[in-house]
Amino acid sequence: MDVGKIIGAAPLPKIDGVSNKANFIKVDKNDGNDFLESIKKGLDSVKNIQDEADNKIQQAISGNDIEISEVMISTLKAEMSMQLTMQVRNKLVDAYQEITRMPI
Amino acid sequence: MDSIFDSLEISATGLSAERFRMNTIANNIANANTVSSTDEGAYRRKSVVFRTMTDDSFYSSFSSNLQECGVEVKGIVEDKSKPQLKYEPGHPDADENGFIRLSNVNVLNEMVDMISATRAYEANITAIDSSKSMVKKAINIGNY
């Protein structure tokens, strides 16, 4: 029986882009510091935000002319960026623990 | 500017604009009972004019879409209506006909403006809280 005669049934088309070489998982073999660098950069910017909030709080409690809303918003930013940092740290620790549990 | 904290900055401009408006209203109420002997010297009710703040940096002039970055105070305008005349011949500020000029502030109008400014301030704070909860939700993606 010729399967092709049945309406709707056709041989699977060849999927493009998949080859045996699997070149889509391309690992850059430079010194591997890129990830570390971006983490450091992120930590630096979090520190900048925290310093800004610290600065504004100092100004507010020393009686300088600064808006309360400005102080609160910068502390809010510091809080949010700190939480984001903690989440990134949690992900890193999770990944590390995942690797330590790997059966060999 | 393109960061998760942009909405906070925009709401912050709204907060400071409303605070400025509140200052002006407080000034109007404080001066509601000032008197003067001339039309020019009488206190005129002041109101604030807002406008959209745009990012007028060098690079943004090349981009087609205008980036809005909040609100700013364009200026203060004075109410040009005539001050109230009051006949009070014994007053030290009275003119030769015995009239003094009160300010043209109507305290009821100022009260309504004050409520409006307060509510607008609260609306900006609500926007900040919503932005915060959005960021919090985004941080917790995949944790539940």
Side-chain angles (χ1 to χ4, degrees):
Chain A
M1 184 187 172
D2 191 0
V3 183
K5 293 228 175 86
I6 303 169
I7 300 170
L12 282 174
K14 190 172 182 292
I15 301 169
D16 290 334
V18 177
S19 68
N20 294 335
K21 286 183 206 157
N23 56 0
F24 46 87
I25 310 172
K26 197 171 180 181
V27 180
D28 240 354
K29 282 263 173 80
N30 57 10
D31 47 2
N33 280 336
D34 281 0
F35 181 67
L36 202 63
E37 283 300 316
S38 54
I39 289 282
K40 275 181 185 164
K41 228 185 266 177
L43 285 176
D44 277 348
S45 73
V46 170
K47 189 180 181 304
N48 281 341
I49 292 170
Q50 284 173 353
D51 285 349
E52 196 190 322
D54 204 30
N55 198 6
K56 290 206 170 136
I57 292 169
Q58 287 285 349
Q59 283 183 37
I61 59 176
S62 54
N64 285 355
D65 187 22
I66 185 167
E67 278 188 47
I68 304 167
S69 60
E70 219 175 298
V71 180
M72 294 317 289
I73 284 173
S74 47
T75 52
L76 188 67
K77 278 181 177 178
E79 182 193 340
M80 289 289 116
S81 43
M82 190 60 207
Q83 284 186 7
L84 183 61
T85 313
M86 291 316 289
Q87 289 297 336
V88 171
R89 185 205 73 121
N90 290 347
K91 298 278 181 224
L92 279 173
V93 172
D94 281 352
Y96 175 73
Q97 285 176 347
E98 201 72 35
I99 291 171
T100 54
R101 280 197 300 267
M102 190 188 287
I104 302 175
Chain B
M1 53 193 271
D2 184 28
S3 129
I4 51 168
F5 297 130
D6 280 0
S7 52
L8 294 180
E9 297 287 349
I10 291 170
S11 300
T13 65
L15 288 178
S16 73
E18 292 303 332
R19 193 191 48 78
F20 192 88
R21 185 171 158 207
M22 191 62 216
N23 286 355
T24 315
I25 295 166
N27 195 28
N28 285 341
I29 293 176
N31 281 293
N33 293 318
T34 51
V35 284
S36 167
S37 50
T38 59
D39 273 359
E40 295 77 41
Y43 181 81
R44 306 292 173 108
R45 172 178 177 262
K46 292 175 178 61
S47 50
V48 186
V49 181
F50 293 155
R51 73 165 164 215
T52 312
M53 201 193 290
T54 46
D55 184 11
D56 51 357
S57 66
F58 179 69
Y59 291 106
S60 69
S61 55
F62 289 110
S63 71
S64 53
N65 54 338
L66 223 62
Q67 278 191 323
E68 264 97 26
C69 334
V71 65
E72 66 185 345
V73 177
K74 190 183 177 188
I76 298 176
V77 289
E78 282 193 341
D79 191 340
K80 294 291 183 203
S81 63
K82 284 257 175 203
Q84 301 171 42
L85 283 175
K86 193 178 180 190
Y87 184 65
E88 217 169 289
H91 200 282
D93 273 339
D95 62 3
E96 61 268 19
N97 298 322
F99 284 102
I100 55 169
R101 271 93 179 153
L102 297 172
S103 69
N104 60 356
V105 175
N106 184 350
V107 182
L108 287 179
N109 282 341
E110 299 310 311
M111 283 297 176
V112 174
D113 276 358
M114 202 164 78
I115 293 169
S116 162
T118 314
R119 292 287 175 267
Y121 198 88
E122 285 170 8
N124 279 299
I125 287 175
T126 310
I128 290 174
D129 286 344
S130 300
S131 308
K132 181 191 173 185
S133 65
M134 279 169 79
V135 175
K136 271 194 152 171
K137 285 283 169 198
I139 285 173
N140 285 320
I141 283 176
N143 279 354
Y144 302 113

